[in-house]
PDB file of all heavy atoms in Angstrom:
ATOM      1  N   GLU Y   1      36.039  73.967 -25.258  1.00 77.00           N
ATOM      2  CA  GLU Y   1      37.253  73.539 -24.494  1.00 77.00           C
ATOM      3  C   GLU Y   1      37.480  72.046 -24.843  1.00 77.00           C
ATOM      4  O   GLU Y   1      36.550  71.324 -25.039  1.00 77.00           O
ATOM      5  CB  GLU Y   1      36.999  73.758 -22.987  1.00 77.00           C
ATOM      6  CG  GLU Y   1      36.887  75.000 -22.591  1.00 77.00           C
ATOM      7  CD  GLU Y   1      37.942  76.033 -22.771  1.00 77.00           C
ATOM      8  OE1 GLU Y   1      39.168  75.465 -22.849  1.00 77.00           O
ATOM      9  OE2 GLU Y   1      37.882  77.169 -23.110  1.00 77.00           O
ATOM     10  N   ALA Y   2      38.780  71.614 -24.868  1.00 68.00           N
ATOM     11  CA  ALA Y   2      39.052  70.231 -25.003  1.00 68.00           C
ATOM     12  C   ALA Y   2      38.543  69.395 -23.802  1.00 68.00           C
ATOM     13  O   ALA Y   2      38.972  69.566 -22.869  1.00 68.00           O
ATOM     14  CB  ALA Y   2      40.570  70.079 -25.195  1.00 68.00           C
ATOM     15  N   GLU Y   3      37.649  68.478 -24.139  1.00 74.00           N
ATOM     16  CA  GLU Y   3      37.224  67.443 -23.199  1.00 74.00           C
ATOM     17  C   GLU Y   3      37.950  66.219 -23.070  1.00 74.00           C
ATOM     18  O   GLU Y   3      38.000  65.537 -22.034  1.00 74.00           O
ATOM     19  CB  GLU Y   3      35.678  67.227 -23.404  1.00 74.00           C
ATOM     20  CG  GLU Y   3      34.716  68.427 -23.406  1.00 74.00           C
ATOM     21  CD  GLU Y   3      33.268  68.051 -23.589  1.00 74.00           C
ATOM     22  OE1 GLU Y   3      33.055  66.741 -23.562  1.00 74.00           O
ATOM     23  OE2 GLU Y   3      32.503  69.039 -23.560  1.00 74.00           O
ATOM     24  N   ALA Y   4      38.594  65.917 -24.213  1.00 73.00           N
ATOM     25  CA  ALA Y   4      39.354  64.589 -24.203  1.00 73.00           C
ATOM     26  C   ALA Y   4      40.375  64.715 -25.300  1.00 73.00           C
ATOM     27  O   ALA Y   4      40.197  65.433 -26.287  1.00 73.00           O
ATOM     28  CB  ALA Y   4      38.469  63.460 -24.400  1.00 73.00           C
ATOM     29  N   GLU Y   5      41.411  63.903 -25.147  1.00 76.00           N
ATOM     30  CA  GLU Y   5      42.337  63.714 -26.282  1.00 76.00           C
ATOM     31  C   GLU Y   5      41.637  62.785 -27.501  1.00 76.00           C
ATOM     32  O   GLU Y   5      40.659  62.315 -27.125  1.00 76.00           O
ATOM     33  CB  GLU Y   5      43.665  63.051 -25.804  1.00 76.00           C
ATOM     34  CG  GLU Y   5      44.340  63.890 -24.864  1.00 76.00           C
ATOM     35  CD  GLU Y   5      45.658  63.139 -24.586  1.00 76.00           C
ATOM     36  OE1 GLU Y   5      45.846  62.016 -24.868  1.00 76.00           O
ATOM     37  OE2 GLU Y   5      46.556  63.774 -23.862  1.00 76.00           O
ATOM     38  N   PRO Y   6      42.153  62.769 -28.692  1.00 86.00           N
ATOM     39  CA  PRO Y   6      43.345  63.323 -29.083  1.00 86.00           C
ATOM     40  C   PRO Y   6      43.374  64.859 -29.774  1.00 86.00           C
ATOM     41  O   PRO Y   6      44.537  65.221 -30.133  1.00 86.00           O
ATOM     42  CB  PRO Y   6      43.868  62.307 -30.052  1.00 86.00           C
ATOM     43  CG  PRO Y   6      42.584  61.883 -30.665  1.00 86.00           C
ATOM     44  CD  PRO Y   6      41.512  61.965 -29.645  1.00 86.00           C
ATOM     45  N   GLY Y   7      42.350  65.387 -29.907  1.00 87.00           N
ATOM     46  CA  GLY Y   7      42.403  66.676 -30.624  1.00 87.00           C
ATOM     47  C   GLY Y   7      43.002  67.759 -29.757  1.00 87.00           C
ATOM     48  O   GLY Y   7      42.987  67.852 -28.527  1.00 87.00           O
ATOM     49  N   ASP Y   8      43.734  68.559 -30.487  1.00 92.00           N
ATOM     50  CA  ASP Y   8      44.435  69.744 -29.805  1.00 92.00           C
ATOM     51  C   ASP Y   8      43.665  71.230 -29.838  1.00 92.00           C
ATOM     52  O   ASP Y   8      43.348  71.653 -30.969  1.00 92.00           O
ATOM     53  CB  ASP Y   8      45.896  69.897 -30.335  1.00 92.00           C
ATOM     54  CG  ASP Y   8      46.828  68.807 -30.139  1.00 92.00           C
ATOM     55  OD1 ASP Y   8      46.796  68.397 -28.987  1.00 92.00           O
ATOM     56  OD2 ASP Y   8      47.496  68.363 -30.975  1.00 92.00           O
ATOM     57  N   VAL Y   9      43.406  71.689 -28.664  1.00 93.00           N
ATOM     58  CA  VAL Y   9      42.754  72.978 -28.567  1.00 93.00           C
ATOM     59  C   VAL Y   9      43.616  73.805 -27.653  1.00 93.00           C
ATOM     60  O   VAL Y   9      43.930  73.403 -26.497  1.00 93.00           O
ATOM     61  CB  VAL Y   9      41.361  72.922 -27.989  1.00 93.00           C
ATOM     62  CG1 VAL Y   9      40.732  74.176 -27.834  1.00 93.00           C
ATOM     63  CG2 VAL Y   9      40.439  72.092 -29.048  1.00 93.00           C
ATOM     64  N   GLU Y  10      43.952  75.103 -28.058  1.00 93.00           N
ATOM     65  CA  GLU Y  10      44.775  75.992 -27.236  1.00 93.00           C
ATOM     66  C   GLU Y  10      44.278  77.411 -27.447  1.00 93.00           C
ATOM     67  O   GLU Y  10      44.190  77.890 -28.501  1.00 93.00           O
ATOM     68  CB  GLU Y  10      46.268  75.837 -27.587  1.00 93.00           C
ATOM     69  CG  GLU Y  10      46.945  74.566 -27.211  1.00 93.00           C
ATOM     70  CD  GLU Y  10      48.448  74.439 -27.584  1.00 93.00           C
ATOM     71  OE1 GLU Y  10      49.005  75.539 -28.060  1.00 93.00           O
ATOM     72  OE2 GLU Y  10      48.952  73.397 -27.592  1.00 93.00           O
ATOM     73  N   ASP Y  11      44.084  78.039 -26.259  1.00 91.00           N
ATOM     74  CA  ASP Y  11      43.870  79.457 -26.318  1.00 91.00           C
ATOM     75  C   ASP Y  11      42.598  79.850 -27.241  1.00 91.00           C
ATOM     76  O   ASP Y  11      42.705  80.820 -27.949  1.00 91.00           O
ATOM     77  CB  ASP Y  11      45.027  80.323 -26.645  1.00 91.00           C
ATOM     78  CG  ASP Y  11      46.235  80.005 -25.692  1.00 91.00           C
ATOM     79  OD1 ASP Y  11      45.865  79.914 -24.504  1.00 91.00           O
ATOM     80  OD2 ASP Y  11      47.294  80.089 -26.201  1.00 91.00           O
ATOM     81  N   GLY Y  12      41.595  78.927 -27.273  1.00 93.00           N
ATOM     82  CA  GLY Y  12      40.374  79.398 -28.086  1.00 93.00           C
ATOM     83  C   GLY Y  12      40.545  79.060 -29.617  1.00 93.00           C
ATOM     84  O   GLY Y  12      39.751  79.479 -30.319  1.00 93.00           O
ATOM     85  N   TYR Y  13      41.523  78.156 -29.909  1.00 95.00           N
ATOM     86  CA  TYR Y  13      41.658  77.745 -31.231  1.00 95.00           C
ATOM     87  C   TYR Y  13      41.857  76.224 -31.421  1.00 95.00           C
ATOM     88  O   TYR Y  13      42.550  75.609 -30.607  1.00 95.00           O
ATOM     89  CB  TYR Y  13      42.881  78.383 -31.883  1.00 95.00           C
ATOM     90  CG  TYR Y  13      42.824  79.825 -32.034  1.00 95.00           C
ATOM     91  CD1 TYR Y  13      43.351  80.751 -31.051  1.00 95.00           C
ATOM     92  CD2 TYR Y  13      42.234  80.404 -33.154  1.00 95.00           C
ATOM     93  CE1 TYR Y  13      43.282  82.099 -31.390  1.00 95.00           C
ATOM     94  CE2 TYR Y  13      42.079  81.675 -33.452  1.00 95.00           C
ATOM     95  CZ  TYR Y  13      42.697  82.554 -32.563  1.00 95.00           C
ATOM     96  OH  TYR Y  13      42.541  83.951 -32.644  1.00 95.00           O
ATOM     97  N   ALA Y  14      41.144  75.587 -32.391  1.00 96.00           N
ATOM     98  CA  ALA Y  14      41.514  74.298 -32.749  1.00 96.00           C
ATOM     99  C   ALA Y  14      42.578  74.315 -33.663  1.00 96.00           C
ATOM    100  O   ALA Y  14      42.532  74.973 -34.672  1.00 96.00           O
ATOM    101  CB  ALA Y  14      40.091  73.734 -33.380  1.00 96.00           C
ATOM    102  N   LEU Y  15      43.584  73.491 -33.364  1.00 97.00           N
ATOM    103  CA  LEU Y  15      44.902  73.518 -34.107  1.00 97.00           C
ATOM    104  C   LEU Y  15      45.069  72.422 -35.069  1.00 97.00           C
ATOM    105  O   LEU Y  15      44.523  71.297 -34.812  1.00 97.00           O
ATOM    106  CB  LEU Y  15      45.932  73.691 -33.142  1.00 97.00           C
ATOM    107  CG  LEU Y  15      45.942  74.736 -32.172  1.00 97.00           C
ATOM    108  CD1 LEU Y  15      47.168  74.651 -31.121  1.00 97.00           C
ATOM    109  CD2 LEU Y  15      45.926  76.189 -32.807  1.00 97.00           C
ATOM    110  N   CYS Y  16      45.744  72.609 -36.055  1.00 98.00           N
ATOM    111  CA  CYS Y  16      46.042  71.567 -37.094  1.00 98.00           C
ATOM    112  C   CYS Y  16      47.509  71.843 -37.788  1.00 98.00           C
ATOM    113  O   CYS Y  16      47.529  72.942 -38.339  1.00 98.00           O
ATOM    114  CB  CYS Y  16      44.982  71.485 -38.170  1.00 98.00           C
ATOM    115  SG  CYS Y  16      45.242  70.154 -39.401  1.00 98.00           S
ATOM    116  N   GLY Y  17      48.507  71.011 -37.537  1.00 97.00           N
ATOM    117  CA  GLY Y  17      49.635  71.145 -38.293  1.00 97.00           C
ATOM    118  C   GLY Y  17      50.774  71.413 -37.290  1.00 97.00           C
ATOM    119  O   GLY Y  17      50.571  71.788 -36.159  1.00 97.00           O
ATOM    120  N   GLY Y  18      52.026  71.063 -37.603  1.00 95.00           N
ATOM    121  CA  GLY Y  18      53.134  71.493 -36.731  1.00 95.00           C
ATOM    122  C   GLY Y  18      53.201  70.553 -35.464  1.00 95.00           C
ATOM    123  O   GLY Y  18      53.519  71.083 -34.348  1.00 95.00           O
ATOM    124  N   GLY Y  19      52.669  69.440 -35.452  1.00 94.00           N
ATOM    125  CA  GLY Y  19      52.672  68.693 -34.284  1.00 94.00           C
ATOM    126  C   GLY Y  19      51.215  68.834 -33.595  1.00 94.00           C
ATOM    127  O   GLY Y  19      50.965  68.026 -32.661  1.00 94.00           O
ATOM    128  N   LYS Y  20      50.324  69.640 -34.048  1.00 96.00           N
ATOM    129  CA  LYS Y  20      48.979  69.718 -33.410  1.00 96.00           C
ATOM    130  C   LYS Y  20      48.026  68.901 -34.257  1.00 96.00           C
ATOM    131  O   LYS Y  20      48.106  68.971 -35.550  1.00 96.00           O
ATOM    132  CB  LYS Y  20      48.575  71.309 -33.532  1.00 96.00           C
ATOM    133  CG  LYS Y  20      49.574  72.203 -32.643  1.00 96.00           C
ATOM    134  CD  LYS Y  20      49.735  71.692 -31.232  1.00 96.00           C
ATOM    135  CE  LYS Y  20      50.841  72.671 -30.467  1.00 96.00           C
ATOM    136  NZ  LYS Y  20      50.980  72.197 -29.093  1.00 96.00           N
ATOM    137  N   PHE Y  21      47.187  68.177 -33.584  1.00 97.00           N
ATOM    138  CA  PHE Y  21      46.363  67.188 -34.225  1.00 97.00           C
ATOM    139  C   PHE Y  21      44.851  67.629 -34.176  1.00 97.00           C
ATOM    140  O   PHE Y  21      44.340  67.952 -33.256  1.00 97.00           O
ATOM    141  CB  PHE Y  21      46.492  65.857 -33.520  1.00 97.00           C
ATOM    142  CG  PHE Y  21      46.008  64.625 -34.276  1.00 97.00           C
ATOM    143  CD1 PHE Y  21      46.780  64.124 -35.178  1.00 97.00           C
ATOM    144  CD2 PHE Y  21      44.834  64.005 -33.930  1.00 97.00           C
ATOM    145  CE1 PHE Y  21      46.439  62.955 -35.808  1.00 97.00           C
ATOM    146  CE2 PHE Y  21      44.418  62.851 -34.586  1.00 97.00           C
ATOM    147  CZ  PHE Y  21      45.156  62.338 -35.545  1.00 97.00           C
ATOM    148  N   ALA Y  22      44.299  67.642 -35.440  1.00 97.00           N
ATOM    149  CA  ALA Y  22      42.898  67.971 -35.511  1.00 97.00           C
ATOM    150  C   ALA Y  22      42.167  66.680 -35.650  1.00 97.00           C
ATOM    151  O   ALA Y  22      42.397  65.853 -36.418  1.00 97.00           O
ATOM    152  CB  ALA Y  22      42.658  68.835 -36.759  1.00 97.00           C
ATOM    153  N   VAL Y  23      40.926  66.639 -34.990  1.00 98.00           N
ATOM    154  CA  VAL Y  23      39.989  65.619 -35.131  1.00 98.00           C
ATOM    155  C   VAL Y  23      38.618  66.258 -35.617  1.00 98.00           C
ATOM    156  O   VAL Y  23      38.078  66.935 -35.018  1.00 98.00           O
ATOM    157  CB  VAL Y  23      39.702  64.866 -33.868  1.00 98.00           C
ATOM    158  CG1 VAL Y  23      38.522  63.737 -34.138  1.00 98.00           C
ATOM    159  CG2 VAL Y  23      41.051  64.205 -33.341  1.00 98.00           C
ATOM    160  N   ILE Y  24      38.327  65.990 -36.819  1.00 98.00           N
ATOM    161  CA  ILE Y  24      37.065  66.354 -37.549  1.00 98.00           C
ATOM    162  C   ILE Y  24      36.135  65.340 -37.580  1.00 98.00           C
ATOM    163  O   ILE Y  24      36.412  64.337 -38.372  1.00 98.00           O
ATOM    164  CB  ILE Y  24      37.450  67.050 -38.895  1.00 98.00           C
ATOM    165  CG1 ILE Y  24      38.555  68.062 -38.849  1.00 98.00           C
ATOM    166  CG2 ILE Y  24      36.114  67.627 -39.596  1.00 98.00           C
ATOM    167  CD1 ILE Y  24      39.165  68.510 -40.189  1.00 98.00           C
ATOM    168  N   ALA Y  25      34.959  65.536 -37.054  1.00 98.00           N
ATOM    169  CA  ALA Y  25      33.983  64.312 -37.021  1.00 98.00           C
ATOM    170  C   ALA Y  25      32.524  64.873 -37.168  1.00 98.00           C
ATOM    171  O   ALA Y  25      32.253  65.888 -36.726  1.00 98.00           O
ATOM    172  CB  ALA Y  25      34.248  63.428 -35.755  1.00 98.00           C
ATOM    173  N   GLY Y  26      31.746  63.952 -37.592  1.00 97.00           N
ATOM    174  CA  GLY Y  26      30.264  64.178 -37.715  1.00 97.00           C
ATOM    175  C   GLY Y  26      29.718  63.415 -38.927  1.00 97.00           C
ATOM    176  O   GLY Y  26      30.450  62.617 -39.599  1.00 97.00           O
ATOM    177  N   PRO Y  27      28.418  63.602 -39.125  1.00 96.00           N
ATOM    178  CA  PRO Y  27      27.703  62.775 -40.154  1.00 96.00           C
ATOM    179  C   PRO Y  27      28.116  63.207 -41.592  1.00 96.00           C
ATOM    180  O   PRO Y  27      28.372  64.399 -41.854  1.00 96.00           O
ATOM    181  CB  PRO Y  27      26.282  63.019 -39.889  1.00 96.00           C
ATOM    182  CG  PRO Y  27      26.301  64.318 -39.276  1.00 96.00           C
ATOM    183  CD  PRO Y  27      27.438  64.587 -38.466  1.00 96.00           C
ATOM    184  N   CYS Y  28      27.889  62.243 -42.580  1.00 94.00           N
ATOM    185  CA  CYS Y  28      28.088  62.606 -43.929  1.00 94.00           C
ATOM    186  C   CYS Y  28      27.176  63.736 -44.360  1.00 94.00           C
ATOM    187  O   CYS Y  28      27.579  64.656 -44.930  1.00 94.00           O
ATOM    188  CB  CYS Y  28      27.835  61.340 -44.796  1.00 94.00           C
ATOM    189  SG  CYS Y  28      27.926  61.723 -46.622  1.00 94.00           S
ATOM    190  N   SER Y  29      25.894  63.671 -43.876  1.00 94.00           N
ATOM    191  CA  SER Y  29      24.921  64.687 -44.293  1.00 94.00           C
ATOM    192  C   SER Y  29      24.074  65.100 -43.045  1.00 94.00           C
ATOM    193  O   SER Y  29      23.767  64.173 -42.119  1.00 94.00           O
ATOM    194  CB  SER Y  29      24.067  64.271 -45.425  1.00 94.00           C
ATOM    195  OG  SER Y  29      23.345  63.187 -45.094  1.00 94.00           O
ATOM    196  N   VAL Y  30      23.764  66.241 -42.952  1.00 95.00           N
ATOM    197  CA  VAL Y  30      22.791  66.807 -41.855  1.00 95.00           C
ATOM    198  C   VAL Y  30      21.498  66.354 -42.244  1.00 95.00           C
ATOM    199  O   VAL Y  30      21.028  66.534 -43.337  1.00 95.00           O
ATOM    200  CB  VAL Y  30      22.939  68.251 -41.767  1.00 95.00           C
ATOM    201  CG1 VAL Y  30      22.088  68.695 -40.667  1.00 95.00           C
ATOM    202  CG2 VAL Y  30      24.263  68.755 -41.503  1.00 95.00           C
ATOM    203  N   GLU Y  31      20.725  65.696 -41.345  1.00 95.00           N
ATOM    204  CA  GLU Y  31      19.431  65.155 -41.673  1.00 95.00           C
ATOM    205  C   GLU Y  31      18.348  65.697 -40.700  1.00 95.00           C
ATOM    206  O   GLU Y  31      17.131  65.868 -41.123  1.00 95.00           O
ATOM    207  CB  GLU Y  31      19.356  63.706 -41.387  1.00 95.00           C
ATOM    208  CG  GLU Y  31      20.385  63.018 -42.305  1.00 95.00           C
ATOM    209  CD  GLU Y  31      20.547  61.487 -41.966  1.00 95.00           C
ATOM    210  OE1 GLU Y  31      19.871  60.925 -41.025  1.00 95.00           O
ATOM    211  OE2 GLU Y  31      21.434  60.781 -42.540  1.00 95.00           O
ATOM    212  N   SER Y  32      18.697  66.231 -39.506  1.00 95.00           N
ATOM    213  CA  SER Y  32      17.603  66.801 -38.546  1.00 95.00           C
ATOM    214  C   SER Y  32      18.474  67.561 -37.497  1.00 95.00           C
ATOM    215  O   SER Y  32      19.637  67.293 -37.268  1.00 95.00           O
ATOM    216  CB  SER Y  32      16.743  65.888 -38.073  1.00 95.00           C
ATOM    217  OG  SER Y  32      17.433  64.943 -37.143  1.00 95.00           O
TER     218      SER Y  32
END
C-alpha cells in the first residue's frame, strides 16, 4: 500500500505513465 507520496499506487498496482508517477529505488547491487 502507498505509505507516502510521490509514488502512485491504485487498486493493487504500482502505476507509471499518463500522469501516474513511479518511484523505483534501491541499491545498485544486492549484497546481503
